[in-house]
């Protein structure tokens, strides 16, 4: 199995949640705000992916199967 190169949306959201919920003072208020904004964007993206209708595969058509051009 090939190693994945990118994080999933859920993994990204978990990482951002860690920044937003930081209590050690490692991240500033502006970092927390940016994490919240990015998390909201990722949540909207995930909802859009769920809402997209599945596209049906079109049958493959060969050039030979096409009718002759109209004159």
């Amino acid at each position: 199995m090939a190693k994945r190169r990118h994080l999933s949306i859920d993994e990204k959201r978990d990482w951002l949640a860690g920044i937003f919920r930081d209590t050690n003072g490692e991240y500033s208020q502006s970092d927390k705000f940016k994490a919240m904004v990015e998390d909201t964007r990722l949540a909207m993206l995930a909802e859009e992916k769920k809402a997209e209708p599945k596209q049906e595969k079109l049958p493959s058509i060969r050039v030979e199967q096409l009718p002759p051009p109209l004159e």
Side-chain angles (χ1 to χ4, degrees), residues 11-39:
E11 291 169 328
K12 290 176 187 178
R13 292 190 70 202
D14 290 342
W15 179 73
L16 290 166
I19 293 173
F20 185 72
R21 294 185 179 124
D22 174 55
T23 57
N24 298 331
E26 185 176 345
Y27 298 101
S28 69
Q29 289 297 322
S30 115
D31 291 335
K32 291 179 180 184
F33 179 75
K34 290 175 188 175
M36 182 182 64
V37 169
E38 186 64 19
D39 179 61

Side-chain angles (χ1 to χ4, degrees), residues 48-70:
E48 287 175 8
K49 280 185 146 182
K50 288 180 187 176
E52 285 180 1
K54 302 273 183 179
Q55 290 185 351
E56 295 180 20
K57 290 187 177 182
L58 297 174
S60 60
I61 299 175
R62 295 185 182 146
V63 175
E64 298 85 27
Q65 295 174 326
L66 295 174
L70 297 174

